[in-house]
Amino acid sequence: MSSAAPAVKPRRRAGRIIGRVAFGVIAGIVVLATAAALVLVWTVQRSFPQTTGELALKGLQAQVTVQRDDRGIPTVTADNSHDLFFAQGFVHAQDRFWEMDFRRHVTSGRVAELFGSSQVATDEFLRTLNWHGIAEKEVAAMDPATRGYYEAYAEGVNAYLADHKGAEASFEYAVVGMNNPGYTIEPWTPADSVAWLKAMAWDLRGNIEDETTRALLAPAVDASTMNEIYPAYPFDQHPVIVPTITPVDQVGSGAASATDTTGSDAAPTGNAPAPGSTPSAAPTASPAPSTSAAASAPGSVRWTTAGSTLEAVQTLLGDPGEGIGSNSWVVSGSLTASGKPLLANDPHLGAALPSVWYQMQLRCRTVSTACPFDVSGFSFSGLPSIVIGHNADIAWGFTNLTTDVTDLYVEKIDGDAYWRDGVRVPLQTRTETVKVAGGDDITLTIRSTVHGPIVSGLTDDFTALAKTPIVGRADAGSPGGETGVAPDATVDALPGQYAVSLRWTALDPGTTSTAIFAMNTAKDFADFRHAASLFDVPAQNLIYADQKGNIGYQTPGRLPIRGAGNGYFPQPGWTSTSDWTGYIPFEKLPVSYNPDEGYIVTANNAIVPDSYPYFLSKDWDYGYRAARIAELIERTAKQHALTAQDMRNIQFDQQSWIGKQLAAEMQELPPSKDAGVRAAVGLLKSWDAQASADSPAAAYANVLWQHLALNLFANREHPLPMDGQGRLFTIVGPMLENPDDPLWTNAKIGVTGRDEMLALSAKQAYDELAKAQGTDPSRWSWGDLHAITLTHQTLGKSGIAPIEWLFNRGPYPVGGGSSLVDATGWTLGGSYATTTVPSMRMVVDLADFDASTWNHLTGASGHAFSPHYTDQTENWSKGLQSPWPFSQKAVTAATVDTLVLRPPVG
């Protein structure tokens, strides 16, 4: 069962770009849905993949073998690289084509083609960012070998589509066809693959939400309060990833040849030319026209408008919500039982059905220069290669770098121009046509400045920034920056109005689409660093281990060097002094190789101390996960040599930092006069602070924390931002030691001081849980409160029970929580339901790859009612991982189905 949402909710934020979009449908669709259910079995099974026997596919050069284990996870073996990626495209399409097709509609701003006029505003925003157009430029710039991989992959997808139309490709097309019968599937292109990297970069883009919130808050909050509610990273309490940078000459120079690609000090390209040059066209759109006529068309199935355009975008991509980030760490053989490294990774992303990941192995029958792949791990459907995993020599993992790679600029607009260094510069414009299912085409006018697309007018928050422009001080550009820099509250007057533009590294053509193949074939740390030098967006922490016993870390990415300002607030666009002046040279980026500690931990915490000569960010995760992981590694290593099981245990650690603090503090309060509250507080006395699914104490601790946070931050005369539970831990922790902190007093709710605030919150928490789960605290359950319902990304919120029943699964009880190692995020001020998850977990054993384990949120298949739709979910919720066969012998032993793909005879 789930708890009712509290009465006070936080305001909707601009950064939740593709928020919760639900289907709005008229009553007639119920009849159609019922009719569809009657032919469910026949319709659904039409799209299930063939996994045994033989298939002749035009375009193959030689025979390919696809072996699947009992979870449907494939190993693809081919004679040449073309056939390997051709087959990967075919297999991805077999299991996940609806997901692939929907993603490319999102990344190209064509969702209205599927779901009608309610999605025009979403398409407007996505066309403004122009992901697909940038992807086309990246494809055109690829070296011939890499482009060949993408083209072979597209050929494989299209080989599947040649024999699978509509519902034969996926059951979702049968439902969409009720409203949009004229829709036909288009052929796949390489740009469709590359564009998905832009969508992932958006989810992992950095601090744009915090930058926006601070700017909107600044007129009402002084610098001292801003510093308190946005505290600095606690360097004295929590670890940094690279405390000491390894000199490059100690790790080789394999990346040197790639330095010119991402490591020069030249001005950025693409949307941000050098100051004084002609700005390139970058997208921004005029307001969307009214869509009321199309929305009321009889018999239509449409997506209702989300709370904001940005929320709509985030829903389409998979809402990151609270807790997006990741954990990864690598342990040297000096600390392990085998004497070889262990590598663990669990990326935290928005929950999605199917999961964003697709497990598989790609193997050249004979590994050679012409066919160099023998790699296994987690791929993205729609993208050739393995994104995270291992090959025969090395293993690697990713976590979000959380560096600041996005800046907002306040622009002074004057008609069809904008002011820059005292000169009127023409706005760059382009037009695009949005096709609308069931409606008329809509023409968008898209504008840009030298910095990039104008985004005000597209979202409430960005528009508010343009109406009340706040910009950062020009003297805030020191390497470490000032904590809580006070903004200029005024801007000098020039004719015209204001707009907000977006500068973002992903809006320039990049090379990540090439880097992933370099990663797949790397044999040592020099190769790994070369691949990292090409990996520009999304910027990720890259960890490394090899069979020779080495471990390492490399910061990749295209990380900007700023002029004036540091991106903490929006910058003035009318002067070139606030422009980016280049990127940090690759050879100056943080690197660690075989550190003395014997391990490297990354959990979105600060990368380096403040003494690092380049500004990276001030909006790190606050390091609670990183500190706990390091603590567990060190503690366990003192007890015994580390094993792969120890790594899995750490991944599932559910200790709640804030829960521990509150449990201790509540014991110091006078006993409540309410017997129920006394019993609830009594649960905390013997609690081990583990937020396990079956824990009554964890349920009470989390509900207590929510009410305390609401009373401290939201339920005030002037509400304060509540996003980022790690940030709030850092605020409230010291407050618990200071009962007279002014924030404890809240006149709106009649509370003065810490003890009154805690007592009120304790009573509110008991009342909420008693209503939701009964008056006996021993029967409360955090897992039921924090449960996850796996919701189909497009059809799962139709509001029509039969359709939702077809595609959704759950609820599943879940433990963990926000800023815990087992990072199952939930949103303060909303329900306690899990929204972000460890999207996958893997532990790679470099002593024996076949002893490695893996798991992810759902299953291999995107087909509802496939036995592999959610067959990994129960184990995922329990923290259990499955064997990961890699050697040919292990793969053969695990095989239950074999499909042979071959060229047509004759």
Side-chain angles (χ1 to χ4, degrees):
M1 46 199 283
S2 60
S3 167
V8 179
K9 296 180 180 295
R11 91 178 157 79
R12 298 179 181 272
R13 302 188 65 197
R16 294 188 180 154
I17 285 275
I18 303 176
R20 301 180 177 183
V21 179
F23 263 118
V25 291
I26 63 175
I29 193 64
V30 176
V31 177
L32 295 175
T34 303
L38 297 177
V39 294
L40 174 65
V41 174
W42 177 77
T43 305
V44 167
Q45 290 185 345
R46 291 169 66 196
S47 61
F48 283 10
Q50 179 179 337
T51 59
T52 61
E54 289 192 0
L55 280 175
L57 298 178
K58 185 178 179 180
L60 278 178
Q61 299 172 3
Q63 181 173 294
V64 178
T65 303
V66 181
Q67 300 167 270
R68 292 179 184 256
D69 66 11
D70 60 357
R71 292 158 293 166
I73 299 171
T75 293
V76 177
T77 305
D79 288 349
N80 58 74
S81 295
H82 171 275
D83 287 357
L84 188 67
F85 292 112
F86 181 107
Q88 185 184 25
F90 183 84
V91 170
H92 275 169
Q94 278 189 306
D95 281 332
R96 298 282 191 94
F97 185 71
W98 167 260
E99 178 188 28
M100 295 164 59
D101 195 19
F102 180 69
R103 282 177 177 174
R104 68 169 163 177
H105 277 80
V106 172
T107 58
S108 57
R110 296 171 53 198
V111 185
E113 288 185 22
L114 285 172
F115 299 117
S117 60
S118 64
Q119 291 308 294
V120 169
T122 303
D123 282 350
E124 179 184 39
F125 185 89
L126 294 165
R127 295 286 182 99
T128 294
L129 299 187
N130 196 29
W131 291 342
H132 203 273
I134 297 165
E136 290 173 342
K137 294 179 181 178
E138 291 187 8
V139 171
M142 286 176 181
D143 63 274
T146 302
R147 190 182 307 117
Y149 299 152
Y150 281 92
E151 290 172 347
Y153 180 91
E155 290 175 32
V157 175
N158 293 329
Y160 172 79
L161 295 178
D163 296 319
H164 296 82
K165 310 295 182 184
E168 294 174 341
S170 196
F171 178 51
E172 286 87 345
Y173 292 104
V175 179
V176 171
M178 297 175 187
N179 176 61
N180 192 356
Y183 177 76
T184 57
I185 300 171
E186 297 177 356
W188 193 262
T189 71
D192 294 334
S193 295
V194 175
W196 183 242
L197 292 172
K198 303 299 178 183
M200 293 305 299
W202 178 261
D203 265 1
L204 304 170
R205 64 201 170 278
N207 77 333
I208 193 172
E209 290 91 347
D210 289 332
E211 184 178 335
T212 302
T213 299
R214 284 190 292 261
L216 293 175
L217 195 63
V221 173
D222 60 28
S224 176
T225 303
M226 190 74 78
N227 286 341
E228 184 174 7
I229 63 177
Y230 283 95
Y233 184 83
F235 287 101
D236 58 336
Q237 301 173 41
H238 293 166
V240 298
I241 297 170
V242 184
T244 303
I245 294 177
T246 304
V248 171
D249 59 6
Q250 295 184 22
V251 297
S253 57
S257 62
T259 301
D260 290 343
T261 303
T262 59
S264 72
D265 286 317
T269 59
N271 288 340
S277 64
T278 302
S280 61
T284 293
S286 56
S290 170
T291 58
S292 58
S296 60
S300 65
V301 180
R302 68 181 184 91
W303 288 44
T304 57
T305 303
S308 75
T309 301
L310 293 180
E311 283 190 1
V313 174
Q314 207 60 66
T315 290
L316 301 182
L317 294 177
D319 186 5
E322 166 72 29
I324 194 167
S326 299
N327 302 323
S328 72
W329 64 91
V330 60
V331 178
S332 165
S334 64
L335 300 178
T336 69
S338 69
K340 291 293 182 71
L342 295 166
L343 185 149
N345 195 188
D346 54 292
H348 309 152
L349 298 169
L353 179 62
S355 163
V356 69
W357 299 109
Y358 185 95
Q359 298 153 288
M360 70 187 312
Q361 180 170 356
L362 301 173
R363 168 175 287 161
C364 294
R365 211 176 306 273
T366 300
V367 176
S368 65
T369 302
C371 192
F373 299 95
D374 186 5
V375 59
S376 181
F378 294 85
S379 66
F380 292 141
S381 58
L383 186 72
S385 76
I386 298 299
V387 177
I388 295 176
H390 71 84
N391 59 30
D393 299 296
I394 75 162
W396 68 93
F398 292 173
T399 64
N400 194 21
L401 203 65
T402 60
T403 49
D404 187 356
V405 295
T406 57
D407 278 344
L408 296 172
Y409 285 86
V410 176
E411 310 280 6
K412 292 181 177 179
I413 304 297
D414 188 0
D416 59 357
Y418 65 103
W419 288 93
R420 181 168 171 80
D421 293 333
V423 177
R424 288 180 79 252
V425 179
L427 286 162
Q428 297 295 305
T429 63
R430 64 185 174 89
T431 59
E432 290 202 10
T433 300
V434 174
K435 296 185 181 298
V436 182
D440 296 332
D441 294 353
I442 295 173
T443 300
L444 302 178
T445 300
I446 299 177
R447 304 175 299 160
S448 69
T449 74
V450 67
H451 300 111
I454 293 176
V455 291
S456 50
L458 300 175
T459 77
D460 293 342
D461 281 0
F462 293 157
T463 302
L465 289 180
K467 290 180 178 178
T468 309
I470 296 294
V471 296
R473 287 207 318 243
D475 60 352
S478 59
E482 297 180 53
T483 301
V485 176
D488 259 331
T490 59
V491 293
D492 55 312
L494 280 176
Q497 298 178 331
Y498 296 100
V500 175
S501 64
L502 172 66
R503 181 75 180 101
W504 177 30
T505 53
L507 298 185
D508 300 326
T511 53
T512 297
S513 51
T514 299
I516 51 180
F517 297 102
M519 194 78 69
N520 284 192
T521 56
K523 294 184 178 300
D524 54 29
F525 196 56
D527 289 347
F528 175 79
R529 294 190 70 235
H530 169 71
S533 73
L534 301 172
F535 202 106
D536 43 27
V537 290
Q540 300 287 287
N541 294 299
L542 299 181
I543 60 168
Y544 166 94
D546 63 36
Q547 285 198 306
K548 294 179 181 178
N550 301 301
I551 65 172
Y553 165 90
Q554 177 67 56
T555 297
R558 184 186 294 164
L559 308 182
I561 299 173
R562 292 170 170 84
N566 59 13
Y568 197 69
F569 286 95
Q571 297 299 305
W574 53 86
T575 169
S576 61
T577 60
S578 296
D579 287 356
W580 294 359
T581 60
Y583 299 115
I584 300 173
F586 180 77
E587 296 301 331
K588 300 295 181 66
L589 291 172
V591 58
S592 180
Y593 190 60
N594 293 328
D596 293 340
E597 295 85 354
Y599 65 88
I600 302 168
V601 174
T602 85
N604 317 117
N605 50 316
I607 300 171
V608 287
D610 264 345
S611 57
Y612 182 68
Y614 296 96
F615 175 76
L616 295 176
S617 180
K618 292 193 299 181
D619 289 309
W620 311 109
D621 179 271
Y622 281 84
Y624 292 91
R625 286 178 287 116
R628 177 62 174 168
I629 293 165
E631 174 194 348
L632 290 172
I633 290 173
E634 292 183 358
R635 180 196 302 173
T636 308
K638 289 178 181 178
Q639 298 169 353
H640 59 255
L642 295 168
T643 67
Q645 185 58 51
D646 292 322
M647 302 298 100
R648 292 187 284 270
N649 292 343
I650 294 173
Q651 284 182 328
F652 204 59
D653 177 73
Q654 298 172 332
Q655 186 187 84
S656 169
W657 184 90
I658 194 64
K660 284 179 62 178
Q661 311 310 307
L662 291 177
E665 203 63 43
M666 294 303 296
Q667 307 311 313
E668 302 299 319
L669 292 183
S672 172
K673 296 178 181 180
D674 187 306
V677 176
R678 288 199 305 274
V681 172
L683 292 173
L684 303 179
K685 184 175 294 185
S686 59
W687 181 42
D688 62 0
Q690 289 287 321
S692 54
D694 61 356
S695 171
Y700 184 66
N702 279 288
V703 178
L704 171 61
W705 164 238
Q706 166 141 292
H707 282 282
L708 178 61
L710 287 167
N711 290 331
L712 284 172
F713 302 105
N715 300 340
R716 306 187 74 89
E717 196 67 35
H718 299 290
L720 300 173
M722 283 181 50
D723 297 74
Q725 293 199 41
R727 177 178 65 85
L728 300 187
F729 294 174
T730 308
I731 300 171
V732 174
M735 287 176 57
L736 290 170
E737 304 299 319
N738 180 12
D740 298 321
D741 188 294
L743 276 178
W744 287 121
T745 296
N746 185 343
K748 184 177 181 181
I749 59 175
V751 170
T752 301
R754 180 194 64 190
D755 291 359
E756 283 188 29
M757 182 69 78
L758 290 173
L760 173 64
S761 302
K763 178 65 166 65
Q764 291 170 330
Y766 171 77
D767 290 345
E768 180 180 347
L769 272 166
K771 182 178 180 180
Q773 296 190 347
T775 57
D776 181 357
S778 68
R779 300 178 68 86
W780 293 343
S781 163
W782 173 233
D784 288 346
L785 205 62
H786 189 46
I788 186 171
T789 296
L790 297 175
T791 304
H792 190 274
Q793 197 170 2
T794 51
L795 303 176
K797 293 186 178 180
S798 67
I800 300 172
I803 290 180
E804 293 185 356
W805 176 83
L806 289 174
F807 294 103
N808 296 346
R809 300 294 182 268
Y812 301 88
V814 174
S818 295
S819 287
L820 281 59
V821 178
D822 182 23
T824 54
W826 55 282
T827 303
L828 279 171
S831 77
Y832 303 90
T834 298
T835 57
T836 56
V837 294
S839 55
M840 65 80 159
R841 299 184 182 101
M842 75 173 193
V843 174
V844 182
D845 189 339
L846 275 295
D848 180 5
F849 285 129
D850 291 334
S852 303
T853 54
W854 58 358
N855 177 270
H856 75 122
L857 177 64
T858 59
S861 180
H863 297 290
F865 299 100
S866 163
H868 306 305
Y869 190 47
T870 56
D871 59 339
Q872 297 188 44
T873 303
E874 184 174 353
N875 280 351
W876 172 88
S877 68
K878 296 176 180 177
L880 302 176
Q881 298 180 37
S882 301
W884 181 352
F886 177 72
S887 69
Q888 186 171 348
K889 179 180 178 181
V891 169
T892 300
T895 297
V896 296
D897 287 329
T898 300
L899 174 67
V900 175
L901 308 177
R902 58 173 177 79
V905 176

